[in-house]
Amino acid sequence: MHHVRTSHTTSTTRRAGRRRPVAVTASVLAAALLLAACGSRDEGTGDGASGDGTTTVTIGFDAPLSKDLAAVGLGMKNSAELAVKKANKDETVPGVTFELVAKDDQATPNIGQQNAAAFVADDSVIGVVGAYNSSVSAAMVSTLRDAGMAQISGANTAAALTQGADYKTAPRREYDNYFRTISTDAVAAPVMAEYFFDDLKVKKLATVDDKKTYGVGIVDSFTDAYEKLGGKVVVHQSLNPDESDYAAVVNSVKSSGAQGVFYGGEYPQAGSLKKQLVAAGFDGPLGGGDAVKDDELVSIAGAAAANGTYAHSDGAPIDKLDSAKDFISAYEAAGYEQPYGVFGAYVYDATTALIQAVKAAVEGNGGTAGKVTELRPKVVDALQDVTFDGATGKVGFDEYGDSVNQVISVNGVQDGKWVNGIDVVTVED
């Protein structure tokens, strides 16, 4: 594949190959199936029929809705809710009324798996939008697959979820029920590596991860690309995301001679790490993936210390896309407390894609939803062929269930706030 910069001071083309595999383990706890009934309804007989002749079909939603990542999770939930409301208002699927039921996974794989089991046991649930964390989706996907239920994420970026642990040398789709509307780390991390090496002129770098699937995977992909460019990773460290004192990591980075840091993890820890690095006298840039790009990072690090933080995001900046204007207007009009954030528009498109798949499945089912549990596998089949112009641009899926829209933006904190799209790169095969 090659990278084509579509907005920058110069226009260049660069090549990058597939990246090193990310190890993903789909931890399915059989005991959690016993908890499934906790999330199920007692109403109806499974056909979702109501007194007015319409069928109520539930879309499950899973994300962290409490604790450190609540802000991003709630922004995602709000975006999914907007898509559901629009579908109901527009009567996108005649005779079907959609309902969104959200569950909090607290960014914990075991809880996510329990939520998946509860969605499966609820015979009104047609499919699931989520999760935020790749590790949580890895714990959910096999339970949903076994029930013939679609899962679609607007936030997961671990390449192994769609192409398997050996995606670099032998990509294989393990779960045909899993889809995403966002690019993978194998696509995005090399763009960040090029930005650090070529634009920021960082030739020696420290890497830090949070030991999670996403964090380890994106550092691995970044390191592979960075070293191929000629960069040197002088030290690698891991931190405990449940702790707040990163003195040992900071001291290791300072003594290593690194000119910058690439962090694999999420914005709460990235903000704290940047703050502590600056306080210790380290003035190099800190980079990260899309999970680092959040306004809360600036609040956590402090405006001055946050300067020099860089993170990628999928697509061109949402606020500059004509295709996203209606989504942004609707979100603002709804008066949500939380911003839609980096992932909101992608979750909106993911929810819309699932709804479009339900529409196709209902049309192929004689125009009626029938039993939702029997419709589930038909929705999975239909989702593979869904294509439309969404808030984020063209929405569609390749043979692995990955997004066909491969545009990556580099964003940076300048003067205490995020500046979006300082570099925009189209990645082409």
Side-chain angles (χ1 to χ4, degrees):
M1 63 179 63
H2 62 278
H3 300 169
V4 180
R5 280 185 170 172
T6 53
S7 72
H8 198 257
T9 54
T10 60
S11 178
T12 60
T13 299
R14 297 171 180 159
R15 294 197 168 274
R18 282 287 179 185
R19 306 296 144 196
R20 192 176 306 161
V22 183
V24 171
T25 307
S27 173
V28 180
L29 305 178
L33 293 172
L34 298 175
L35 301 175
C38 297
S40 58
R41 291 183 176 81
D42 293 327
E43 60 190 54
T45 59
D47 60 4
S50 62
D52 61 3
T54 63
T55 299
T56 299
V57 172
T58 302
I59 293 175
F61 176 86
D62 179 273
L65 304 178
S66 62
K67 298 188 176 180
D68 287 350
L69 297 172
V72 68
L74 289 168
M76 291 167 59
K77 179 183 77 71
N78 297 340
S79 301
E81 182 180 270
L82 274 183
V84 167
K85 288 181 176 179
K86 186 176 189 304
N88 288 336
K89 179 181 178 181
D90 295 348
E91 297 183 356
T92 300
V93 186
V96 170
T97 298
F98 291 98
E99 177 184 358
L100 187 76
V101 171
K103 292 186 180 294
D104 178 12
D105 61 33
Q106 298 180 39
T108 303
N110 287 352
I111 297 177
Q113 198 284 329
Q114 293 170 21
N115 291 347
F119 286 134
V120 168
D122 184 342
D123 56 17
S124 76
V125 176
I126 193 64
V128 174
V129 176
Y132 166 69
N133 303 85
S134 292
S135 56
V136 174
S137 281
M140 297 174 68
V141 63
S142 62
T143 296
L144 299 174
R145 188 270 314 276
D146 291 345
M149 186 183 292
Q151 178 180 2
I152 182 167
S153 174
N156 296 158
T157 57
L161 282 168
T162 44
Q163 299 188 34
D166 295 327
Y167 70 87
K168 181 181 177 182
T169 57
R172 181 178 68 87
R173 188 174 187 181
E174 185 175 359
Y175 301 106
D176 64 358
N177 65 313
Y178 179 87
F179 301 80
R180 60 177 133 211
T181 54
I182 194 166
S183 295
T184 72
D185 296 332
V187 173
V191 173
M192 285 297 296
E194 290 177 358
Y195 191 79
F196 262 66
F197 187 83
D198 292 332
D199 294 82
L200 298 181
K201 309 300 182 185
V202 173
K203 309 303 181 183
K204 295 190 298 181
L205 188 132
T207 57
V208 183
D209 68 60
D210 63 357
K211 304 179 184 178
K212 296 181 183 180
T213 299
Y214 167 77
V216 172
I218 196 168
V219 165
D220 193 40
S221 293
F222 178 93
T223 299
D224 192 29
Y226 183 70
E227 290 180 340
K228 286 179 179 177
L229 291 169
K232 183 178 180 181
V233 175
V234 294
V235 66
H236 173 74
Q237 292 284 308
S238 296
L239 57 77
N240 184 342
D242 295 325
E243 296 178 354
S244 57
D245 184 353
Y246 306 140
V249 173
V250 170
N251 290 335
S252 178
V253 170
K254 282 194 65 181
S255 62
S256 71
Q259 300 167 322
V261 179
F262 184 83
Y263 176 68
E266 293 144 349
Y267 66 86
Q269 293 75 31
S272 293
L273 179 60
K274 187 67 161 66
K275 180 178 182 178
Q276 292 175 45
L277 284 166
V278 171
F282 183 82
D283 60 359
L286 181 143
D290 46 12
V292 164
K293 188 185 179 297
D294 195 282
D295 290 342
E296 282 297 308
L297 178 140
V298 178
S299 299
I300 293 167
N307 290 334
T309 302
Y310 298 88
H312 75 254
S313 59
D314 239 37
I318 293 299
D319 57 0
K320 297 177 183 178
L321 286 177
D322 288 341
S323 59
K325 287 182 178 178
D326 288 345
F327 162 74
I328 294 172
S329 296
Y331 197 97
E332 292 175 347
Y336 292 119
E337 181 179 349
Q338 304 83 11
Y340 53 80
V342 174
F343 304 104
Y346 292 92
V347 172
Y348 179 84
D349 281 350
T351 309
T352 301
L354 182 58
I355 290 168
Q356 289 295 323
V358 172
K359 179 181 180 180
V362 168
E363 290 174 349
N365 201 44
T368 62
K371 278 188 170 294
V372 172
T373 52
E374 295 176 1
L375 194 67
R376 288 172 177 173
K378 298 177 182 179
V379 170
V380 172
D381 291 341
L383 190 51
Q384 182 65 58
D385 297 323
V386 164
T387 181
F388 62 96
D389 292 327
T392 60
K394 182 176 176 58
V395 176
F397 309 100
D398 66 14
E399 67 269 31
Y400 300 105
D402 282 325
S403 171
V404 298
N405 189 0
Q406 303 289 334
V407 178
I408 305 297
S409 292
V410 177
N411 316 285
V413 179
Q414 300 173 1
D415 297 325
K417 63 180 181 179
W418 283 102
V419 177
N420 299 329
I422 57 179
D423 196 9
V424 180
V425 177
T426 299
V427 182
E428 300 175 349
D429 289 329

